[in-house]
Structures are given as structure tokens and as C-alpha cells.
Amino acid sequence: MTAHVIDGARYARDLRGALSREVAELAAQGSLPGLATVVAGDSYPAHAYERRVRSLAEKLGLYYVREALPAEVTEADALAVIGKLGADPRVSGILVLRPLPPQVSEAALYRALDPLKDIEAVHPVNAGLLELGRARFVPSTPASAFHLLDRYLIESGRDPEEVYACSNVVVVGRSQNVGKPAITLAMERGATVVSCDVNSHRCGLLYEHTRNADILVVATGVPGLVSGEHVKRGVIAVDVGINPVSDPDTGKVRLVGDLDFDSVADRAEAVTPVPGGVGPITDVWLLRNAIDAARLATGLASTRPLTEGLWLATADS
Ligand code: NAD
């Protein structure tokens, strides 16, 4: 393996340290940030994510509340919970976990969020602001992918602005919560951007584009979709995928990404691992957004531009 392995856990620790100082400062000013999560039904990944976020919120000293709704909750009742959290002054940020039960419309819940507490930028106003390059909040997963890229480029002694300007950035996956905002973040950085999805694969176009990528971001949920033969030598590759796969021999479940790590690492300049790459940053970034939301709510001056994640997010800010 020749690639540099980008250590997401280290960057997550840096960010976390900065955030705990910010929480203490805000608490001293009487503006303790608060996070609310809304989880409906029994989805294992949703509950696992909720537990991780709760543990981090508690470690950082935020106010935390969890609304666990039964799988048979009505849309009206779910909307009432969103309204209640919107009116609660202890809650600065709200996270609605997916998947929701089929009778509850995701779009209806997102529209009901107070846009100033919508820390994943799923309300149409915040999604629009992000598209316009004036984001109030940058969704945590794509923000984390670009946080790792930005930090890696800076630490390897390059001018990120120049690198992005001269790069083909290829984003594979086009979901509302990951792929699409990642495309926006790449465009905001001035890159030449290509977006691929399942159709690109079906129609035989995918690997033509991945082979042309200087920077590759993969977020599909397809284990090992992109391997060494599909990338150019010297690519910087960010793997967002988190896929549980069971070992056919032992039956043990382990997590793998959307990249075939070993073969990509043989050709890449740098690559993020799974686990230990984008994942660790994502939870911290969500909390960071809840802290920014507390500042927004009180009109307190930010110690950093609120839209910083749109462009260069620095570890010590
Ligand atoms: P999604 O299912 O909502 O979207 C998947 C996207 O990938 C779609 O645009 C689809 O067209 C595309 N796609 C599917 N198969 C493809 C193929 N064969 N070729 C090309 N494109 C293909 O998924 P999502 O919510 O965007 O999540 C994607 C992955 O990222 C999943 O593995 C998920 O677990 C992971 N994820 C990680 C984090 C994190 O913190 N690291 C957060 C969210 C999601």
C-alpha cells in the first residue's frame, strides 16, 4: 500500500476539543446549546446513531433530549413533537433520524422544523441557502468529507483553493442528505464537478468518470463499488459508505466502505478508511451545528463564520 491513510479519528478529536471549550463559554453566558433527536420505530441503525450522538452530547456538556416515538405514531403526533421541540428554548438543534415509518412523511416533518434549529439543513429554506452558497448549516456527513479533504490538503503543504480549482471532483451517489450537498460543497470550492449515480453504473458510464477523478467522493452504500482499477494513480479518495458485511467463514459482521480499500490504496495518494475516516467526524460536526444554532438563537457573536464549513473548516476554530 502506498497511500496516506487519512485519520478521521484524529481530526474528530481536534474538533471535539475545540467544541467543548465553546460549550463551556456559551454555558457561562447562559446559552447552553441543546440537542433534540427524534427517532420513530425500531430501526437499528437509527437507534445506534442516536446512542452515539447522545453519548457525545453528554460528554460535551450539551442539554440533550430524545423523543422516541412508536412505529405506529401518526404523522399528526410526530408533527406535534417537532412543534414542541421548536418551541423549547433549551433545544437549539433538532435531528430527525431516518428511516421514518411509512405513514409519516419525511418532507412534512422537515417542513415543520424551525429553520433556525434545522442542523442538518433539511428544511427547504436551509437546503436552498446551501445551494445558493449562503448556508446556515452544512449537513454533517458531506461537511465531514470535505473537512477531511481540506485538512489533508493543508497538512500536506498545498493551497486547497488552488488544488480544488484545478481538480476534477467526482461524487458517486446523489442522495439528498449526502451526495447532493457534497456536489454543492465541491462546486463552492471551485472544482470541476461530476455527479454519478446508479444510472451511471447501469449505463456503463461510472468508471469512465471515476478514472478521471483527481478527488473522488463515494457515497452509495454499495460495498467495494470502486476498486483500484477504477481510479487514476494519485487520486485522493474519500469513502463515505458504511456497510455491514458478514464474513462467509466466521459469520462475524464488520463494516466496510464503498471503496475496495486495499486496491484503491495501492494507487491513491491518500484515502480515508472505513471505519475511522468520515464516520468519526460526522457526529462531532452535528454537535458543532447545534452549538452554532445556540449562537444563532441568542444572537451571540460567533467565534467563526457560521458558514465556514461551506469552504475551509479549520480544526482549531
Ligand atoms: P442513499 O441510499 O440515500 O443514496 C445512495 C446513492 O447512491 C443514490 O444516489 C444512488 O443512485 C447511488 N447508487 C446506488 N448504487 C449505485 C451504483 N451501483 N453505482 C453508482 N451509484 C449508486 O444512501 P446515503 O444516505 O447517501 O448513504 C450512502 C452511504 O453512506 C451508505 O453506505 C451510508 O451508510 C453511508 N453514510 C455514512 C455516513 C457517515 O457518517 N460516514 C452518514 C450517512 C450515510
Side-chain angles (χ1 to χ4, degrees):
M1 183 183 83
T2 51
H4 173 84
V5 179
I6 300 175
D7 181 359
R10 173 166 74 83
Y11 293 118
R13 276 195 302 275
D14 291 349
L15 261 182
R16 217 163 77 176
L19 294 187
S20 63
R21 290 190 290 279
E22 290 186 32
V23 174
E25 280 163 25
L26 282 166
Q29 296 170 66
S31 302
L32 180 68
L35 174 65
T37 52
V38 180
V39 58
D42 305 321
S43 156
Y44 178 81
H47 281 275
Y49 187 29
E50 187 279 325
R51 281 194 297 275
R52 284 206 324 265
V53 167
R54 182 194 337 161
S55 156
L56 184 58
E58 287 170 357
K59 280 186 193 134
L60 286 173
L62 272 77
Y63 170 76
Y64 183 82
V65 60
R66 177 182 75 137
E67 293 285 352
L69 310 177
E72 60 279 7
V73 66
T74 63
E75 187 173 289
D77 285 347
L79 286 169
V81 167
I82 298 288
K84 183 182 78 174
L85 295 171
D88 186 341
R90 295 168 300 179
V91 171
S92 57
I94 304 170
L95 171 68
V96 178
L97 288 144
R98 297 181 314 143
L100 293 168
Q103 72 278 12
V104 179
S105 152
E106 207 171 277
L109 253 55
Y110 291 170
R111 273 197 308 273
L113 286 166
D114 175 347
L116 295 180
K117 298 187 177 186
D118 167 32
I119 52 177
E120 279 291 68
V122 290
H123 186 285
V125 166
N126 289 326
L129 286 172
L130 178 68
E131 274 301 301
L132 291 170
R134 294 168 33 221
R136 188 180 271 149
F137 303 110
V138 183
S140 52
T141 304
S144 303
F146 277 91
H147 181 75
L148 289 183
L149 279 168
D150 296 346
R151 294 311 306 166
Y152 170 71
L153 292 173
I154 291 168
E155 288 185 9
S156 58
R158 277 169 288 181
D159 172 4
E161 217 162 317
E162 189 57 17
V163 173
Y164 287 118
C166 299
S167 289
N168 284 313
V169 175
V170 177
V171 178
V172 186
R174 201 181 293 157
S175 63
Q176 297 292 351
N177 56 322
V178 187
K180 278 191 186 171
I183 293 159
T184 303
L185 297 185
M187 291 195 299
E188 282 301 317
R189 283 161 170 76
T192 301
V193 185
V194 171
S195 159
C196 299
D197 79 344
V198 68
N199 286 335
S200 322
H201 196 198
R202 184 173 61 81
C203 302
L205 298 168
L206 177 65
Y207 297 128
E208 178 188 317
H209 292 296
T210 57
R211 283 193 188 99
N212 200 31
D214 303 300
I215 295 174
L216 179 65
V217 177
V218 185
T220 65
V222 182
L225 177 66
V226 175
S227 59
E229 61 177 316
H230 305 132
V231 298
K232 80 157 89 152
R233 197 167 284 287
V235 67
I236 301 174
V238 175
D239 193 346
V240 178
I242 302 179
N243 310 297
V245 293
S246 53
D247 186 309
D249 297 327
T250 64
K252 271 193 170 172
V253 175
R254 63 192 179 96
L255 295 178
V256 301
D258 295 353
L259 296 177
D260 176 52
F261 182 83
D262 289 340
S263 62
V264 171
D266 278 342
R267 291 178 65 80
E269 172 192 317
V271 62
T272 67
V274 177
V278 176
I281 308 273
T282 306
D283 302 350
V284 188
W285 198 280
L286 183 79
L287 275 289
R288 180 190 197 271
N289 281 351
I291 293 166
D292 283 346
R295 285 209 188 84
L296 268 179
T298 53
L300 283 172
S302 176
T303 52
R304 59 168 181 265
L306 288 172
T307 56
E308 182 192 55
L310 204 54
W311 175 230
L312 286 179
T314 58
D316 54 355
S317 61

